[in-house]
Amino acid sequence: MYDLEKIKKIEIEDVARMLGIMVGKGHAALCPFHADRVASLHFNKDKQHWKCYACSKKGDQITLVKEYLGVSFKAACEWIVANEGIDCCEQKPEKTERKSTTMEMDSDYLEWILEKPRLNEKARRFLFEERHIDPKVAESLGLTSTDMPLPCTRNGRDFYDAPSLLIPYRDIDGKLMTVQGRWLGSGEETKGKPRFRFPPGSKLGLYNLQVLRQLKKGDELWIAEGPSDCWAMLSAGHAAIAVPSATLLMEREVDLLRDLRTHMVPDNDAPGRQLFAKVKELLPQTVMHELPEGVKDFGEKWKGERGKN
C-alpha cells in the first residue's frame, strides 16, 4: 500500500518531466492529450496540480501519470515510486534519499535507433499517401519508424509506443536534441495513448534548424506550426522550420532568424493566430499568408493541392 501523501508531495513538474512532457516558461507545456500548439497545459506548483485550458483535463501527479500512460491508479503510483527512487510505502518509516529528477537524454542510444532509418507500412502511408510528403524530404530529415515499443534509454522501460513515427530534432550543427514519437495507431488502439511523446532530458527547440546553414542574409524562410506542416512546406520547395510552441521560442534561436525574410501560414484557428502574434512580436518582418476558408493548416492545403494532380 502506497503512502499517497508522500507521492503527492513530489513536485508535479518533476513528474511531468519524467514522462517526457517539456515544461517551458510560465510553468506551461504542450498538452499531450490533444493536438496542442500554444502550451495550454499549466502547472500549479503551490497546489501541485495541472490543468489544460483547452481540453479541460486536470488532476494531480497520479492523475497525470494515469492519463498519460493509460494505466490504472495503482500502476500510476508504482510508476512514480519506481521512477522517483524514494520510499513511498506506508509501513516503512525509514527514509531513503530521493534521487535527482534532472535527467539527460541518452543521445548515443537514440542515435543508434536513428542510424538506419526505416519507414514501415503505416509510416509510409501516413507520410506519402495521406500527406503527400516528398520522400526526399523524409529521407533528408532522417525520419524513421518502429513496429515495436522502444525505450528511450538503452536500459530503460518501453517509452515509444508502436507503431510510431520517430522524428529527430537537431540543432543547427546537427547535434541531436530529442526524438519525438508520433503515434500512428487508429481506432480503439489509440485509447490511453498520447499522440506525441518526447523523452525525458530533451532539449526542445525549433525543428529543422539545420536548414539555416543553407541560407544567407535576406533569404526566405517559412515558419510552420509543427513538423508535419514543415514537411509539407519543404515538399512545396520552401526552406522551412517549425515552431512547436510559442513558449519554446528561445531568444538564441530567434537571433538566428532576424536577418531572414520570414513567412508564416498560421493554422485557421485561435491558437494559430496567437502563435503568429508571438512570432510577429519577436520577428516583426514576418509576413502572414492566410489559408483558404475551411482549410485548417498548411499540411491540409498541400494535401488538397497534391490530391488534384
Side-chain angles (χ1 to χ4, degrees):
M1 181 68 179
Y2 294 110
D3 185 339
L4 298 183
E5 290 305 312
K6 283 187 177 181
I7 291 177
K8 291 183 179 182
K9 286 180 181 178
I10 298 169
E11 289 287 338
I12 183 71
E13 291 185 5
D14 284 347
V15 175
R17 291 186 184 98
M18 286 190 298
L19 287 167
I21 298 172
M22 304 299 296
V23 183
K25 296 178 181 178
H27 308 289
L30 294 174
C31 179
F33 305 117
H34 66 99
D36 201 6
R37 301 282 190 178
V38 292
S40 304
L41 184 67
H42 288 258
F43 298 94
N44 186 319
K45 289 174 69 70
D46 294 329
K47 296 181 179 180
Q48 295 300 322
H49 269 232
W50 59 276
K51 179 177 180 179
C52 176
Y53 287 91
C55 71
S56 298
K57 284 185 177 290
K58 60 183 179 180
D60 59 11
Q61 298 91 329
I62 300 170
T63 309
L64 182 62
V65 174
K66 182 174 176 289
E67 292 280 348
Y68 191 91
L69 299 179
V71 297
S72 67
F73 182 92
K74 180 182 177 183
C77 291
E78 291 174 347
W79 187 92
I80 294 172
V81 171
N83 282 275
E84 276 288 289
I86 61 174
D87 183 359
C88 278
C89 294
E90 288 179 344
Q91 318 287 323
K92 297 181 181 179
E94 67 274 7
K95 292 184 178 180
T96 58
E97 183 180 353
R98 172 178 171 173
K99 72 176 183 180
S100 169
T101 55
T102 302
M103 299 182 180
E104 287 194 13
M105 191 181 68
D106 192 342
S107 299
D108 291 341
Y109 171 75
L110 291 174
E111 285 283 20
W112 176 75
I113 290 176
L114 299 170
E115 196 172 82
K116 296 180 180 179
R118 172 188 168 275
L119 295 173
N120 59 28
E121 183 181 346
K122 284 196 173 183
R124 295 181 66 82
R125 184 165 61 246
F126 171 75
L127 290 169
F128 308 139
E129 296 178 23
E130 296 177 16
R131 295 184 175 260
H132 298 286
I133 303 304
D134 186 337
K136 292 181 180 179
V137 168
E139 182 180 359
S140 68
L141 293 172
L143 301 183
T144 188
S145 61
T146 181
D147 293 310
M148 64 182 69
L150 288 174
C152 59
T153 59
R154 67 199 71 204
N155 298 315
R157 302 179 182 179
D158 289 339
F159 177 81
Y160 295 109
D161 297 309
S164 281
L165 189 66
L166 301 182
I167 306 165
Y169 280 61
R170 299 184 183 275
D171 66 16
I172 193 170
D173 296 315
K175 183 179 179 182
L176 189 66
M177 297 189 293
T178 188
V179 178
Q180 179 185 23
R182 204 285 185 191
W183 169 244
L184 294 176
S186 59
E188 283 297 314
E189 61 184 350
T190 64
K191 188 176 181 181
K193 287 186 169 60
R195 186 186 297 182
F196 302 107
R197 304 197 74 172
F198 288 100
S202 298
K203 292 181 173 64
L204 190 57
L206 302 182
Y207 175 71
N208 195 33
L209 275 171
Q210 287 178 283
V211 75
L212 299 182
R213 298 184 70 86
Q214 306 167 20
L215 304 178
K216 61 183 183 299
K217 184 176 180 178
D219 282 350
E220 286 193 347
L221 177 73
W222 289 66
I223 300 174
E225 290 192 50
S228 58
D229 281 355
C230 183
W231 305 332
M233 288 180 177
L234 291 166
S235 298
H238 300 302
I241 60 169
V243 181
S245 163
T247 62
L248 294 170
L249 279 171
M250 304 297 184
E251 192 66 30
R252 66 180 182 275
E253 295 176 337
V254 170
D255 283 341
L256 298 172
L257 313 181
R258 295 195 191 281
D259 293 331
L260 299 171
R261 290 186 293 132
T262 48
H263 299 259
M264 188 171 180
V265 187
D267 287 1
N268 242 339
D269 54 22
R273 291 188 289 274
Q274 291 168 15
L275 182 56
F276 173 75
K278 181 65 175 179
V279 171
K280 184 74 173 177
E281 177 187 334
L282 295 169
L283 299 166
Q285 77 274 24
T286 305
V287 176
M288 184 178 80
H289 300 262
E290 292 190 16
L291 291 163
E293 187 69 29
V295 177
K296 68 176 184 178
D297 56 31
F298 187 89
E300 186 174 282
K301 177 177 180 290
W302 171 251
K303 184 168 57 175
E305 290 173 354
R306 296 298 294 173
K308 293 176 183 177
N309 296 336

